[in-house]
Amino acid sequence: MKIILAYSGGLDTSVILRWLKENYKAEIIAFCADIGQEEELAGLEEKALKTGASKCVIEDLQEEFARDFIFPMFQAGALYENQYFLGTSIARPLIAKRMVEIARAEKADAIAHGATGKGNDQVRFELTAAALAPEVKVIAPWREERFRKQFPGRKQMIAFAKKNKIPVEASAAKPYSMDRNLLHISFESGVLEDPWFDASSKKMRGMYKLSVAPEDAPNESEYVDLAFENGNCVEVNGKKLSPLGVMQTLNKLGGKHGIGRVDIVENRFVGMKGRGVYETPGGAILHFAHRQMETLTMDREVMHLRDSLIPKYSSLVYNGFWFSPEREALQALVTETQRDVTSLVRLKLYKGNIIVAGRKSPKSLYDPKIATMEGEESSYDQGDATGFIRLNALRLKVRAALKSKGRGD
């Protein structure tokens, strides 16, 4: 048997690699998508081979991730439950897509992942596989009773890794899990499972990788200019950049100023609530700037229509339906709404805050001659509002009269 395993080199997938090899008597090909983990990839191939893999495939998918996944999602203004930038959610479809492609090329019998039976990632991996390669079998060790019996908790996994000389970053002194990519880093489990636990306390400063604490950020603000074309950021401070370049540049700027930290209790697709702590410095800046551009260039009703669909779009991404017909249909609408979102926005970054400092566009719908409050200069006749208000008030007056009769007045 041959299995393609989604491999990160972390505690779970390292243990799972060895477990699959021993329990399925299988050849394991470890696959790692380079989507911005940076130093976490160092020595990964050697580690995978020592752990028992016959081969370790590492592919740089960062540009594809930024261009085809992050940017379309940010065009849609996606934000799950008004807080989460969907950093982990949007990465899974890309990883799973490449896994099934490798499985076909390698003539593998199955793909496997280290997502637990309590989380969302299992759904994201498997819905993507179902949409793109329904014939490929999926193995989820965490959903197998024999696996859970052997590893009832992280303590047993750490002990197993130590016994089998598998180097992992997790330890009893650092009992939380991490997932990093170009868009964010997520932290969960362990000490973070208590929603009263303060993840921003001084003793937790060492947990964060992408950003300084807002109170440790520079005491001077910094300005940044972002240029957009058709809803996508194409320049930062006058320098043309690819989607990958934009994300890398904004991550550094945001991290420097303590921007993009989010600590939330979210509603998982499987029905329970879960606590997650996230660092999304570049994504927070991009999301804010994009919205500022839209306020200047998007028609009111188009904006309101698109905004009404944000919860649905965000839920589709969060729940793993990236390759669904409904998400693709929504994306087509989003693309249409972004045709005129071409402009420049200036932001001020300061101690965890993003402050708009200016916006302009050749396609701006803002007309100062109409908006001005200086009567002599305005092309707007305020007298026109009388009839407008009268017509909008008509149904309210009729209803009020009917209610008055009902009370016997």
Side-chain angles (χ1 to χ4, degrees), residues 15-242:
V15 170
I16 285 171
L17 194 161
R18 180 65 62 86
W19 187 87
L20 287 172
K21 184 179 176 69
E22 294 176 354
N23 287 269
Y24 278 82
K25 309 302 180 188
E27 175 189 351
I28 310 298
I29 297 177
F31 170 65
C32 179
D34 178 0
I35 49 176
Q37 301 93 315
E38 296 190 4
E39 69 272 6
E40 293 180 14
L41 297 175
L44 196 67
E45 181 177 6
E46 180 183 1
K47 181 178 178 181
L49 296 177
K50 285 184 177 180
T51 306
S54 63
K55 183 192 297 186
C56 181
V57 179
I58 302 174
E59 294 186 353
D60 187 347
L61 303 180
Q62 293 183 86
E63 195 68 72
E64 180 182 358
F65 183 40
R67 181 189 65 239
D68 298 339
F69 292 81
I70 296 175
F71 270 39
M73 184 178 72
F74 274 78
Q75 277 188 318
L79 196 64
Y80 184 67
E81 296 184 341
N82 293 314
Q83 295 185 86
Y84 175 38
F85 291 105
L86 296 159
T88 296
S89 312
I90 193 61
R92 298 320 189 209
L94 173 58
I95 297 170
K97 166 181 171 287
R98 191 64 191 115
M99 284 180 71
V100 297
E101 291 170 349
I102 293 172
R104 283 172 168 167
E106 293 281 351
K107 295 181 171 54
D109 301 283
I111 63 172
H113 60 76
T116 73
K118 289 186 174 182
N120 303 299
D121 279 345
Q122 57 179 336
V123 185
R124 296 162 184 156
F125 278 119
E126 296 180 40
L127 289 181
T128 297
L132 303 181
E135 77 283 1
V136 174
K137 180 182 178 182
V138 181
I139 298 173
W142 274 109
R143 298 208 301 268
E144 295 190 28
E145 187 176 355
R146 55 178 174 165
F147 182 85
R148 296 195 305 273
K149 187 175 181 179
Q150 185 176 351
F151 303 108
R154 292 176 64 80
K155 180 180 178 181
Q156 289 77 16
M157 298 187 82
I158 293 171
F160 179 88
K162 185 176 181 180
K163 178 182 177 181
N164 289 275
K165 298 181 180 179
I166 301 172
V168 290
E169 189 173 348
S171 66
K174 196 175 185 180
Y176 52 81
S177 64
M178 285 173 39
D179 183 76
R180 178 175 182 174
N181 63 46
L182 182 65
L183 182 53
H184 85 167
I185 294 183
S186 66
F187 307 94
E188 62 180 10
S189 77
V191 296
L192 300 176
E193 289 179 351
D194 177 5
W196 186 253
F197 180 81
D198 182 3
S200 69
S201 63
K202 286 188 176 181
K203 67 179 180 180
M204 295 299 292
R205 295 282 172 89
M207 180 178 77
Y208 298 93
K209 303 286 186 180
L210 297 180
S211 62
V212 300
E215 52 264 48
D216 295 333
N219 292 324
E220 295 293 328
S221 61
E222 181 173 359
Y223 288 87
V224 56
D225 290 354
L226 281 74
F228 285 79
E229 290 181 6
N230 305 120
N232 287 319
C233 182
V234 295
E235 290 184 12
V236 178
N237 289 332
K239 183 179 180 180
K240 284 194 172 294
L241 296 169
S242 69

Side-chain angles (χ1 to χ4, degrees), residues 240-285:
K240 284 194 172 294
L241 296 169
S242 69
L244 172 59
V246 168
M247 294 309 302
Q248 290 173 330
T249 301
L250 295 183
N251 275 335
K252 290 180 181 177
L253 279 170
K256 174 184 175 183
H257 292 279
I259 286 165
R261 292 189 177 188
V262 179
D263 183 340
I264 61 175
V265 174
E266 65 204 54
N267 288 298
R268 293 179 179 171
F269 193 23
V270 294
M272 70 181 71
K273 290 184 181 289
R275 195 263 187 101
V277 178
Y278 304 98
E279 288 182 276
T280 319
I285 295 172

